[in-house]
Amino acid sequence: MESSRAILVALLGALLFLSPLVIWVAHLTPAWWWPFAGWAVFILLVAVAFAGGRRDP
């Protein structure tokens, strides 16, 4: 289960940072904080994806 989540997160990261839409938005000269917002969204999605995992007592 963990390996499938890791693959999903890697694919989501590739989609988020390597998609043509992101490259198009980068050429529009967005605000300076856009890259930080993208990373924050990615980190939040990773945290949500792994939050329900098994924990040792």
Side-chain angles (χ1 to χ4, degrees):
M1 184 70 159
E2 291 295 321
S3 63
S4 63
R5 284 185 184 177
I7 291 171
L8 182 64
V9 166
L11 290 175
L12 182 64
L15 178 68
L16 183 65
F17 294 111
L18 299 176
S19 71
L21 181 63
V22 172
I23 295 169
W24 176 72
V25 170
H27 287 293
L28 295 176
T29 61
W32 63 268
W33 50 268
W34 273 99
F36 298 104
W39 276 107
V41 168
F42 182 67
I43 291 169
L44 180 68
L45 289 173
V46 170
V48 168
F50 287 98
R54 192 186 103 201
R55 295 191 179 137
D56 293 334

